[in-house]
Amino acid sequence: MKVWMTAACISIATLVSVGCDPASRYEVLSLFFDGVPPPKIAADTTGQQPVTAEPRRVGFLEHGPYAARLCTACHESAATNTFVVPRDQLCFKCHEIKTDKKYIHGPLASGGCTACHDPHSSKYRYLLVAESDSFCLRCHDSRDVERVPAHAGVGETCTSCHDAHMSDKKFLLR
């Protein structure tokens, strides 16, 4: 399996780097990766700004720097994925999050914001990577959660009782 995946990645990288046109490159990359920005197309005859190959989707949220196409706010250049600071410090360049509480959620404590948030765009509130009503179960096993007596019969989302980032109360309770 690993050999096949490595070969596939090399094939994709070769295909993308060989110089296919931007629209084809976008098609290939978006098959394998979420959040690939659509290519710019030549300006129209009225001299307006270039248009994107795909219209923005209604209800789709974009992170400010990504929406403004300020790739270099996070990346060394628009053409690379090399970050301007180590990945675990990247979000804190712009977002001030005081970690002054007794309990810090693991991903936040380790600078792993992208475990929960998409750094480019999302159709979910707060740029989450999944729907918030079942979001926590991406990492937390539902069987373990159901075994907790306090969860019996609760029909609300996790964040009704738990803070997603930090708390002074155990189990990140509000």
Side-chain angles (χ1 to χ4, degrees):
M1 179 76 169
K2 285 184 180 183
V3 173
W4 178 84
M5 289 178 67
T6 303
C9 289
I10 291 170
S11 298
I12 293 166
T14 303
L15 176 66
V16 170
S17 66
V18 166
C20 56
D21 67 298
S24 298
R25 186 170 30 250
Y26 172 75
E27 295 277 331
V28 172
L29 289 174
S30 62
L31 280 173
F32 298 97
F33 307 103
D34 291 332
V36 176
K40 301 252 183 203
I41 302 175
D44 65 13
T45 56
T46 63
Q48 294 183 3
Q49 293 290 331
V51 292
T52 57
E54 171 184 303
R56 290 184 189 226
R57 293 177 262 185
V58 175
F60 213 74
L61 307 171
E62 290 185 326
H63 189 228
Y66 177 77
R69 304 301 182 239
L70 298 172
C71 302
T72 55
C74 301
H75 300 278
E76 289 288 338
S77 73
T80 72
N81 276 333
T82 305
F83 297 117
V84 294
V85 296
R87 183 182 201 135
D88 63 337
Q89 299 169 19
L90 190 59
C91 298
F92 301 113
K93 266 188 69 202
C94 299
H95 299 276
E96 183 181 339
I97 298 178
K98 294 178 182 169
T99 54
D100 58 349
K101 302 288 185 179
K102 186 173 181 179
Y103 300 97
I104 312 289
H105 192 219
L108 175 63
S110 66
C113 302
T114 57
C116 302
H117 301 278
D118 189 303
H120 294 126
S121 59
S122 175
K123 63 181 179 179
Y124 306 110
R125 184 171 64 151
Y126 307 119
L127 295 174
L128 293 174
V129 296
E131 189 66 58
S132 60
D133 62 350
S134 62
F135 182 77
C136 300
L137 300 178
R138 289 172 41 98
C139 296
H140 300 277
D141 189 296
S142 62
R143 293 175 301 230
D144 293 338
V145 171
E146 291 167 0
R147 286 186 197 124
V148 176
H151 294 149
V154 175
E156 299 174 25
T157 63
C158 301
T159 55
S160 297
C161 300
H162 300 273
D163 189 291
H165 291 130
M166 66 193 96
S167 175
D168 282 327
K169 298 176 184 173
K170 196 170 182 180
F171 307 115
L172 300 178
L173 289 170
R174 292 186 178 274

